[in-house]
C-alpha cells in the first residue's frame, strides 16, 4: 500500500512539475529543419564584425543554465517592476545579445513560434566554440523558455573568488561533477576579464600578504600594471589567455604556470584529482575537447522553461 501511495504521489508531483522536455538531436527536423544553419549564419555574421562575440555567447549560455536551468532567462530585459538577470551585478562583459536577436529573427521568418530562445542560445554557444577553432558536436534541442528573470538570483552564480569546495558545491547543485567543473572552466580560453574579477589576488590578498603567492611574479607585475590598486581605468582588464579568440587548451597550461586569472581557476589545482585533470588537458587538447563536449551537453541540458518566446527579450 505504502509503495502504491508513493508511486501515486510521485506521479502527481511529476504532473505538477513544469514540463521538463526530453531533449533530442532531431527535435526540429520536421518543424524547422533549417533552424540550425540559420543560427550558425547569424553567429558567423556577428563574429565577422566583432571578435568578442564567441566569448560573450559561451558565457551567456553558462549564466543561462546556472540560473533556473537553460531557459533563456538571461536574455530577458528588465521590466517595470523587475530587474532582470542581465542587469545584475555579475553582468560585467555580458554582451552581444543582438546576435541572439538576429538569429531569432532569421528563425522566426522561417518557422514562427517554433524554436525556443534557450535552444538558440545553446546552439549559438556551440557555434561560438566551433567557429573559434574548437570542437563541434550535436546539441540536443527542445528546451523551453522561462518567464522569470531576476537580478537578485545572479548571486547563485559561482564567483571568481570561490575555492574548490565552493565551486564543487555550486556545480553539484546542478548535477555537475568535479570533472565537469574542470572541463567547463576551459571556457576561460576565450574572452576578457575586468580587473575587478581578479583584484582580490593582486592587491590586499589577505592581512599578511599583498599578493596571492600562487601567481607567477612576472604575471603579477603585468596584471598590476593594468590594474593598479586605485584609479583603475574604466573597463580595464586583460584577456583570459593570449590566444583569447582561439578555443584551445592554453588555459590549462597557464594554470600550471601560475598564470590563471581567478582564484576559481587556480583552485582547480588545489586537489589531487582536479590537478590531474588540469595536467591531462594541458598536455592533450584532444582530451580537453572530448571532455568539454560531454560536459557542455550535460550543462546545457539543465531543465527549465514553459513556452517558446516570440521575442527573446520579453515573455509572451
Ligand atoms: C567555474 C566557475 C566560473 C567562474 C567563477 C567564472 C567567472 C568568470 C568571471 C569573473 C569572468 C570575467 C567577467 C569580467 O570581469 O568581465 C568570466 C568570463 C568568462 N567566462 Fe566564466 N566563470 C566560470 C565558469 C565558466 C564556464 C562554465 C564557462 C563556459 C563554459 C565560462 C565562460 C566564460 C567566458 C567565455 C568568459 C569571457 C566572457 C567575455 O569575454 O565576454 N565561465 N567568468
Ligand atoms: C549591469 O548591471 C548594472 C546594475 O547592477 C546596470 O546598471 C548595467 O546596465 C548592467 N550592464 C549590462 C551590460 O547589462
Ligand atoms: C572555502 O571557503 C569557504 C567559505 O569561505 C570556507 O568555509 C572553507 O573552509 C573553504 N574551504 C577550503 C578548502 O579552503
Ligand atoms: C595569507 O595568505 C598566505 C598565503 O596563502 C598564507 O600563508 C597566510 O596564512 C594567510 N594569512 C592570513 C592571515 O590569512
Amino acid at each position: 500500500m505504502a509503495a502504491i501511495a508513493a508511486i501515486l504521489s510521485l506521479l502527481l508531483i511529476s504532473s505538477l512539475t513544469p514540463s521538463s522536455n526530453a531533449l533530442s538531436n532531431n527535435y526540429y527536423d520536421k518543424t524547422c529543419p533549417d533552424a540550425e544553419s540559420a543560427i550558425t549564419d547569424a553567429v558567423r555574421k556577428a563574429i565577422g564584425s566583432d571578435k568578442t562575440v564567441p566569448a560573450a555567447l559561451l558565457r551567456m549560455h553558462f549564466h543561462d543554465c546556472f540560473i533556473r536551468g537553460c531557459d533563456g532567462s538571461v536574455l530577458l530585459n528588465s521590466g517595470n517592476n523587475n530587474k532582470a538577470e542581465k542587469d545584475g551585478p555579475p553582468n560585467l562583459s555580458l554582451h552581444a545579445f543582438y546576435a541572439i536577436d538576429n538569429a531569432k529573427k532569421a528563425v522566426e521568418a522561417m518557422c514562427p513560434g517554433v524554436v525556443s530562445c534557450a535552444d538558440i542560445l545553446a546552439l549559438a554557444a556551440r557555434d561560438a566554440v566551433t567557429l573559434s577553432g574548437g570542437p563541434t558536436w550535436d546539441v540536443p534541442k527542445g528546451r523551453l523558455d522561462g518567464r522569470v528573470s531576476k537580478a537578485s538570483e545572479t548571486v547563485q552564480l559561482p564567483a571568481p573568488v570561490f575555492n574548490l569546495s565552493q565551486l564543487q558545491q555550486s556545480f553539484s547543485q546542478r548535477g555537475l561533477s568535479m570533472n565537469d567543473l574542470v572541463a567547463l572552466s576551459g571556457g576561460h580560453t576565450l574572452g576578457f576579464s575586468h580587473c575587478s574579477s581578479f583584484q582580490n589576488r593582486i592587491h590586499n590578498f589577505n592581512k599578511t600578504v599583498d599578493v596571492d603567492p600562487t601567481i607567477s611574479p612576472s604575471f603579477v607585475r603585468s596584471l598590476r600594471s593594468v590594474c593598479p590598486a586605485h584609479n583603475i581605468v574604466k573597463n580595464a582588464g586583460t584577456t583570459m589567455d593570449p590566444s583569447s579568440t582561439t578555443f584551445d587548451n592554453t588555459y590549462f597550461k597557464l594554470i600550471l604556470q601560475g598564470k590563471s586569472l581567478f582564484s576559481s581557476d587556480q583552485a582547480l589545482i588545489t586537489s589531487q584529482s582536479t590537478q590531474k585533470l588540469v595536467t591531462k588537458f594541458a598536455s592533450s587538447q584532444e582530451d580537453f575537447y572530448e571532455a568539454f563536449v560531454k560536459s557542455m551537453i550535460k550543462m546545457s541540458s539543465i531543465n527549465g522553461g514553459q513556452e517558446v518566446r516570440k521575442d527573446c527579450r520579453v515573455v509572451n
Side-chain angles (χ1 to χ4, degrees):
M1 267 323 270
I4 291 171
I7 290 167
L8 280 178
S9 64
L10 267 181
L11 283 175
L12 184 65
I13 290 168
S14 60
S15 68
L16 292 175
T17 312
S19 62
S20 49
N21 269 16
L23 305 183
S24 76
N25 287 339
N26 54 7
Y27 191 79
Y28 296 117
D29 280 6
K30 296 229 165 65
T31 53
C32 200
D34 295 327
E36 290 208 23
S37 56
I39 293 163
T40 305
D41 283 350
V43 172
R44 188 179 281 120
K45 209 177 258 169
I47 298 174
S49 49
D50 181 356
K51 296 279 174 266
T52 74
V53 165
L57 293 174
L58 181 57
R59 184 169 190 230
M60 205 186 285
H61 181 50
F62 158 57
H63 280 206
D64 188 27
C65 295
F66 264 55
I67 300 175
R68 295 182 171 267
C70 316
D71 68 341
S73 55
V74 72
L75 303 171
L76 288 171
N77 282 350
S78 293
N80 290 337
N81 291 313
N82 183 55
K83 204 168 162 194
E85 281 172 37
K86 63 167 70 154
D87 293 320
N91 65 358
L92 277 172
S93 90
L94 278 187
H95 65 288
F97 291 101
Y98 72 89
I100 300 300
D101 293 335
N102 289 343
K104 177 67 168 174
K105 251 177 239 155
V107 169
E108 286 297 294
M110 298 187 304
C111 6
V114 171
V115 182
S116 68
C117 296
D119 274 346
I120 292 175
L121 181 50
L123 288 161
R126 186 272 318 269
D127 291 339
V129 169
T130 309
L131 293 169
S132 303
T136 192
W137 64 95
D138 283 332
V139 176
K141 295 159 292 280
R143 293 166 194 77
L144 291 173
D145 297 322
R147 297 178 53 81
V148 177
S149 177
K150 292 183 188 301
S152 58
E153 293 181 344
T154 54
V155 298
Q156 298 167 16
L157 289 166
V161 299
F162 271 14
N163 63 30
L164 193 62
S165 45
Q166 293 170 302
L167 290 168
Q168 174 170 30
Q169 190 185 6
S170 168
F171 275 62
S172 72
Q173 281 167 351
R174 292 158 175 92
L176 300 172
S177 67
M178 292 295 257
N179 286 11
D180 297 320
L181 166 66
V182 177
L184 290 171
S185 293
H188 288 167
T189 178
L190 294 180
F192 179 87
S193 167
H194 293 83
C195 295
S196 55
S197 302
F198 51 86
Q199 199 77 354
N200 69 305
R201 302 182 76 198
I202 60 171
H203 302 287
N204 279 319
F205 178 62
N206 69 19
K207 285 206 177 77
T208 50
V209 298
D210 198 30
V211 168
D212 183 341
T214 60
I215 316 184
S216 110
S218 65
F219 194 49
V220 169
R221 278 193 295 277
S222 82
L223 291 180
R224 289 177 84 151
S225 71
V226 191
C227 308
H230 305 287
N231 304 322
I232 298 173
V233 180
K234 191 166 178 268
N235 288 328
T238 183
T239 54
M240 295 291 209
D241 82 24
S243 54
S244 68
T245 58
T246 307
F247 193 95
D248 57 20
N249 66 340
T250 306
Y251 167 80
F252 296 101
K253 297 180 187 169
L254 291 172
I255 295 179
L256 296 175
Q257 296 165 18
K259 294 180 179 170
S260 63
L261 284 179
F262 309 142
S263 299
S264 61
D265 299 321
Q266 174 68 28
L268 301 181
I269 51 173
T270 58
S271 87
Q272 227 173 38
S273 61
T274 53
Q275 173 165 36
K276 238 170 116 180
L277 269 182
V278 169
T279 307
K280 181 176 164 199
F281 296 156
S283 63
S284 167
Q285 182 154 283
E286 232 170 274
D287 288 349
F288 164 49
Y289 281 2
E290 196 183 314
F292 184 80
V293 165
K294 263 197 207 146
S295 296
M296 276 295 280
I297 292 173
K298 223 168 131 185
M299 178 179 82
S300 80
S301 303
I302 304 173
N303 253 309
Q306 302 86 39
E307 64 183 27
V308 173
R309 236 175 260 157
K310 294 193 186 76
D311 175 343
C312 292
R313 292 175 186 258
V314 290
V315 299
N316 288 345

